[in-house]
Amino acid sequence: KISFKVASASGTVDQAVRTITNPFADHATRVDYYQLLRRWRVDLSRYGVRLTYDISIPEPGSEVLDKIVQINALAAALQQGFNAPDSTLPWARFEQANGQPLGPGDINRDNFMALAAQFGTAVETPPDEIVQFTRSYTAQIDTDAAGNRQWTSYQVDVPEGYEIVGVSLIPYWSDWLINDEVQDNTIFHIVTDLSTWFGDTGQVSFAVALQHIQAYEIELNVWFEWTNASFQAWQMRVWSQLYDAAKARYELNRTMLKDQLTALQEQLGAQDPLSLRQLEREEVMKNVLRWLFGPGFTFTPPGLPADLYKSNESIASSAIWSKVLAEGEIIKFLHHAIEWENMLYLLYPYFWSDTSRWELKRYLEHPDFMHRTFLRAGSARVILTIRPGFETDFVSFMDTGSLGGLAVNPPYLTIAQEMQAFAQTNYPNTPMANPDQSVRPLLTPRQRKAWDDMQAIMALLEKYKTDNGAYPGTQPGLAALAGLGPVPAKDPWGHAYDYKSPGIYADYELQSFGADGVAGGEDENADIVSWAEGSLVGRWYEFTPTSALDIAFNETMPTA
């Protein structure tokens, strides 16, 4: 049974606070704060003679800066306030499509729908500018009332937000006839002066005076126009709706940006150091191939489609099949011919990159110290070594760009050898997973003197084999070399050189046990052996910072 818990957090800060008290009662205490550093030992080994290429490549980390650039862009976007004068993001600004500021007065009947679509919201539709009101008023007067003077009034409600701009009133009536004669005192009169209605709002009325009228009909038409104040109020309401929508869009985009920023920062810090070293190494390899072989070199055959397969998952064509197989041979050759596991590269400062990226690289941050250095690099010096046996073929490939001139049977590595070479890959500031244990140390003058003696003895052994057909056995040992040349009797520490034949690692084994005269040991006590593939010729120490601090009490006070 396996139980596990997964949790993630972003933007968290761990802080520890401690009160430090002077532990000494009779004198002051000095407290020094130190940032802890991790100390790395670097060993430089030499492996015989190699065909070597020394090349400088521009900006080795340029193509893995994408996440840093995205993070910086997101952080800059989040700093832009809503509708700030310096805002450059469209969703952070409240303006018209032409880039001009949007005020209430810029909203009209012609553009309010386009503005609503621009900000993705619904807005209030304005009412008709002119509204016509039509009404007929009719009445029948009975005989008893017709002879009396009458007044009748009618009310008209003006729609909210409108005012009267036009009136038309047409009356029709019929007189009461007595003995078939019209009476002298017949009256039908519109008492109200309708011209006073112009500009009125709310409710208006008109009165009719009549006498000896049998029936009448009044046809009234009134035209209402939307007031300027109502139009401006509508503009303000729509502007507020658009503003709220723009602000909501701004906040939504900020939330999305924050989520993207958090995700990118988590991705940035999620890669372990070894994965970053592998990524850096691959980027250097890629750029080396570009600049070593020139513009004509491609990583995929020209004309090769991105999708190599048909819908039934078979290879798309015989031409694609041939190109991929031929490219596979080039890939295999380049990975075998170059000792990529021993590739060395030195990073040069940011100012060797294009000036447009100086600001980015100067203040670039990354959780991994070494990866930050890699990303900031403006150039890199790369030292490549060609694997023994591939020298002629590699030079031919450099000249022709093809495998046509190679040997019939190139000395390709076996699968086991290739796996071993990969397992012994060197990564900067990273201890080797499978260090070579048989490297002879040649760091001190006496160690180098011992190796010079041993090489002289090895030359005499080869001469002995030429003369006798075999190396001398363990007995009589090095004494058998007498007469072939001077044989150093003892190593620089006064111990006899140890000789065995046949040996476990080679036909013979010659070694010095170092200063202590016994097998094993470190520094000058280390053994120097004939069968080692390489020689340790340099050793130094590098430091990388950690996040911890060290506090030391009662340190010596500085003096002038």
PDB file of all heavy atoms in Angstrom, residues 244-259:
ATOM      1  N   ASP A 244     -18.825  49.633 -16.706  1.00  0.00           N
ATOM      2  CA  ASP A 244     -18.865  48.471 -15.815  1.00  0.00           C
ATOM      3  C   ASP A 244     -18.445  47.202 -16.550  1.00  0.00           C
ATOM      4  O   ASP A 244     -17.738  46.351 -15.992  1.00  0.00           O
ATOM      5  CB  ASP A 244     -20.270  48.295 -15.236  1.00  0.00           C
ATOM      6  CG  ASP A 244     -20.644  49.405 -14.266  1.00  0.00           C
ATOM      7  OD1 ASP A 244     -19.718  50.105 -13.790  1.00  0.00           O
ATOM      8  OD2 ASP A 244     -21.847  49.582 -13.991  1.00  0.00           O
ATOM      9  N   ALA A 245     -18.878  47.062 -17.805  1.00  0.00           N
ATOM     10  CA  ALA A 245     -18.492  45.889 -18.590  1.00  0.00           C
ATOM     11  C   ALA A 245     -16.995  45.881 -18.864  1.00  0.00           C
ATOM     12  O   ALA A 245     -16.333  44.835 -18.787  1.00  0.00           O
ATOM     13  CB  ALA A 245     -19.269  45.859 -19.900  1.00  0.00           C
ATOM     14  N   ALA A 246     -16.448  47.055 -19.189  1.00  0.00           N
ATOM     15  CA  ALA A 246     -15.004  47.141 -19.440  1.00  0.00           C
ATOM     16  C   ALA A 246     -14.212  46.831 -18.172  1.00  0.00           C
ATOM     17  O   ALA A 246     -13.182  46.142 -18.213  1.00  0.00           O
ATOM     18  CB  ALA A 246     -14.647  48.535 -19.968  1.00  0.00           C
ATOM     19  N   LYS A 247     -14.701  47.330 -17.038  1.00  0.00           N
ATOM     20  CA  LYS A 247     -14.002  47.064 -15.772  1.00  0.00           C
ATOM     21  C   LYS A 247     -14.084  45.581 -15.423  1.00  0.00           C
ATOM     22  O   LYS A 247     -13.101  44.981 -14.964  1.00  0.00           O
ATOM     23  CB  LYS A 247     -14.644  47.901 -14.658  1.00  0.00           C
ATOM     24  CG  LYS A 247     -13.900  47.850 -13.333  1.00  0.00           C
ATOM     25  CD  LYS A 247     -12.555  48.548 -13.436  1.00  0.00           C
ATOM     26  CE  LYS A 247     -11.789  48.513 -12.106  1.00  0.00           C
ATOM     27  NZ  LYS A 247     -12.464  49.297 -11.062  1.00  0.00           N
ATOM     28  N   ALA A 248     -15.254  44.964 -15.663  1.00  0.00           N
ATOM     29  CA  ALA A 248     -15.392  43.530 -15.402  1.00  0.00           C
ATOM     30  C   ALA A 248     -14.475  42.726 -16.318  1.00  0.00           C
ATOM     31  O   ALA A 248     -13.856  41.739 -15.895  1.00  0.00           O
ATOM     32  CB  ALA A 248     -16.843  43.105 -15.594  1.00  0.00           C
ATOM     33  N   ARG A 249     -14.382  43.157 -17.582  1.00  0.00           N
ATOM     34  CA  ARG A 249     -13.476  42.479 -18.518  1.00  0.00           C
ATOM     35  C   ARG A 249     -12.028  42.625 -18.063  1.00  0.00           C
ATOM     36  O   ARG A 249     -11.232  41.680 -18.135  1.00  0.00           O
ATOM     37  CB  ARG A 249     -13.652  43.064 -19.917  1.00  0.00           C
ATOM     38  CG  ARG A 249     -12.806  42.388 -20.991  1.00  0.00           C
ATOM     39  CD  ARG A 249     -12.967  43.056 -22.331  1.00  0.00           C
ATOM     40  NE  ARG A 249     -12.469  44.420 -22.324  1.00  0.00           N
ATOM     41  CZ  ARG A 249     -12.413  45.212 -23.407  1.00  0.00           C
ATOM     42  NH1 ARG A 249     -12.868  44.760 -24.561  1.00  0.00           N
ATOM     43  NH2 ARG A 249     -11.937  46.430 -23.327  1.00  0.00           N
ATOM     44  N   TYR A 250     -11.684  43.784 -17.576  1.00  0.00           N
ATOM     45  CA  TYR A 250     -10.329  44.021 -17.061  1.00  0.00           C
ATOM     46  C   TYR A 250     -10.014  43.095 -15.893  1.00  0.00           C
ATOM     47  O   TYR A 250      -8.951  42.463 -15.849  1.00  0.00           O
ATOM     48  CB  TYR A 250     -10.210  45.486 -16.648  1.00  0.00           C
ATOM     49  CG  TYR A 250      -8.982  45.828 -15.853  1.00  0.00           C
ATOM     50  CD1 TYR A 250      -7.750  45.983 -16.477  1.00  0.00           C
ATOM     51  CD2 TYR A 250      -9.049  46.004 -14.466  1.00  0.00           C
ATOM     52  CE1 TYR A 250      -6.620  46.303 -15.757  1.00  0.00           C
ATOM     53  CE2 TYR A 250      -7.925  46.317 -13.734  1.00  0.00           C
ATOM     54  CZ  TYR A 250      -6.713  46.467 -14.377  1.00  0.00           C
ATOM     55  OH  TYR A 250      -5.597  46.768 -13.648  1.00  0.00           O
ATOM     56  N   GLU A 251     -10.953  42.992 -14.946  1.00  0.00           N
ATOM     57  CA  GLU A 251     -10.725  42.139 -13.781  1.00  0.00           C
ATOM     58  C   GLU A 251     -10.648  40.664 -14.184  1.00  0.00           C
ATOM     59  O   GLU A 251      -9.848  39.897 -13.638  1.00  0.00           O
ATOM     60  CB  GLU A 251     -11.824  42.347 -12.741  1.00  0.00           C
ATOM     61  CG  GLU A 251     -11.851  43.742 -12.123  1.00  0.00           C
ATOM     62  CD  GLU A 251     -10.568  44.064 -11.356  1.00  0.00           C
ATOM     63  OE1 GLU A 251      -9.846  43.120 -10.970  1.00  0.00           O
ATOM     64  OE2 GLU A 251     -10.294  45.260 -11.148  1.00  0.00           O
ATOM     65  N   LEU A 252     -11.486  40.265 -15.143  1.00  0.00           N
ATOM     66  CA  LEU A 252     -11.453  38.884 -15.621  1.00  0.00           C
ATOM     67  C   LEU A 252     -10.109  38.570 -16.265  1.00  0.00           C
ATOM     68  O   LEU A 252      -9.508  37.521 -16.007  1.00  0.00           O
ATOM     69  CB  LEU A 252     -12.590  38.649 -16.616  1.00  0.00           C
ATOM     70  CG  LEU A 252     -12.632  37.250 -17.269  1.00  0.00           C
ATOM     71  CD1 LEU A 252     -12.808  36.170 -16.221  1.00  0.00           C
ATOM     72  CD2 LEU A 252     -13.735  37.189 -18.318  1.00  0.00           C
ATOM     73  N   ASN A 253      -9.628  39.483 -17.096  1.00  0.00           N
ATOM     74  CA  ASN A 253      -8.328  39.279 -17.735  1.00  0.00           C
ATOM     75  C   ASN A 253      -7.202  39.254 -16.712  1.00  0.00           C
ATOM     76  O   ASN A 253      -6.255  38.484 -16.842  1.00  0.00           O
ATOM     77  CB  ASN A 253      -8.071  40.361 -18.785  1.00  0.00           C
ATOM     78  CG  ASN A 253      -8.724  40.046 -20.117  1.00  0.00           C
ATOM     79  OD1 ASN A 253      -8.215  39.282 -20.921  1.00  0.00           O
ATOM     80  ND2 ASN A 253      -9.886  40.648 -20.340  1.00  0.00           N
ATOM     81  N   ARG A 254      -7.294  40.089 -15.700  1.00  0.00           N
ATOM     82  CA  ARG A 254      -6.269  40.081 -14.649  1.00  0.00           C
ATOM     83  C   ARG A 254      -6.264  38.739 -13.913  1.00  0.00           C
ATOM     84  O   ARG A 254      -5.199  38.197 -13.593  1.00  0.00           O
ATOM     85  CB  ARG A 254      -6.520  41.228 -13.661  1.00  0.00           C
ATOM     86  CG  ARG A 254      -5.964  42.559 -14.130  1.00  0.00           C
ATOM     87  CD  ARG A 254      -6.200  43.630 -13.086  1.00  0.00           C
ATOM     88  NE  ARG A 254      -5.625  43.297 -11.793  1.00  0.00           N
ATOM     89  CZ  ARG A 254      -4.358  43.496 -11.457  1.00  0.00           C
ATOM     90  NH1 ARG A 254      -3.521  44.034 -12.336  1.00  0.00           N
ATOM     91  NH2 ARG A 254      -3.910  43.188 -10.266  1.00  0.00           N
ATOM     92  N   THR A 255      -7.450  38.216 -13.634  1.00  0.00           N
ATOM     93  CA  THR A 255      -7.527  36.909 -12.978  1.00  0.00           C
ATOM     94  C   THR A 255      -6.895  35.831 -13.850  1.00  0.00           C
ATOM     95  O   THR A 255      -6.139  34.979 -13.364  1.00  0.00           O
ATOM     96  CB  THR A 255      -8.985  36.550 -12.666  1.00  0.00           C
ATOM     97  OG1 THR A 255      -9.537  37.556 -11.805  1.00  0.00           O
ATOM     98  CG2 THR A 255      -9.083  35.200 -11.987  1.00  0.00           C
ATOM     99  N   MET A 256      -7.205  35.874 -15.147  1.00  0.00           N
ATOM    100  CA  MET A 256      -6.613  34.901 -16.064  1.00  0.00           C
ATOM    101  C   MET A 256      -5.100  35.055 -16.124  1.00  0.00           C
ATOM    102  O   MET A 256      -4.360  34.060 -16.143  1.00  0.00           O
ATOM    103  CB  MET A 256      -7.229  35.061 -17.452  1.00  0.00           C
ATOM    104  CG  MET A 256      -8.724  34.723 -17.513  1.00  0.00           C
ATOM    105  SD  MET A 256      -9.491  35.167 -19.095  1.00  0.00           S
ATOM    106  CE  MET A 256      -8.531  34.171 -20.234  1.00  0.00           C
ATOM    107  N   LEU A 257      -4.610  36.292 -16.154  1.00  0.00           N
ATOM    108  CA  LEU A 257      -3.172  36.531 -16.185  1.00  0.00           C
ATOM    109  C   LEU A 257      -2.498  36.034 -14.914  1.00  0.00           C
ATOM    110  O   LEU A 257      -1.396  35.458 -14.954  1.00  0.00           O
ATOM    111  CB  LEU A 257      -2.880  38.022 -16.377  1.00  0.00           C
ATOM    112  CG  LEU A 257      -3.193  38.615 -17.747  1.00  0.00           C
ATOM    113  CD1 LEU A 257      -2.751  40.075 -17.792  1.00  0.00           C
ATOM    114  CD2 LEU A 257      -2.504  37.839 -18.851  1.00  0.00           C
ATOM    115  N   LYS A 258      -3.147  36.257 -13.774  1.00  0.00           N
ATOM    116  CA  LYS A 258      -2.578  35.776 -12.515  1.00  0.00           C
ATOM    117  C   LYS A 258      -2.472  34.260 -12.516  1.00  0.00           C
ATOM    118  O   LYS A 258      -1.475  33.695 -12.046  1.00  0.00           O
ATOM    119  CB  LYS A 258      -3.431  36.254 -11.345  1.00  0.00           C
ATOM    120  CG  LYS A 258      -3.329  37.744 -11.053  1.00  0.00           C
ATOM    121  CD  LYS A 258      -4.240  38.146  -9.907  1.00  0.00           C
ATOM    122  CE  LYS A 258      -4.171  39.643  -9.631  1.00  0.00           C
ATOM    123  NZ  LYS A 258      -5.105  40.044  -8.555  1.00  0.00           N
ATOM    124  N   ASP A 259      -3.511  33.598 -13.032  1.00  0.00           N
ATOM    125  CA  ASP A 259      -3.472  32.136 -13.108  1.00  0.00           C
ATOM    126  C   ASP A 259      -2.353  31.669 -14.034  1.00  0.00           C
ATOM    127  O   ASP A 259      -1.628  30.712 -13.725  1.00  0.00           O
ATOM    128  CB  ASP A 259      -4.821  31.597 -13.598  1.00  0.00           C
ATOM    129  CG  ASP A 259      -5.940  31.811 -12.586  1.00  0.00           C
ATOM    130  OD1 ASP A 259      -5.617  32.052 -11.399  1.00  0.00           O
ATOM    131  OD2 ASP A 259      -7.120  31.755 -12.973  1.00  0.00           O
TER     132      ASP A 259
END
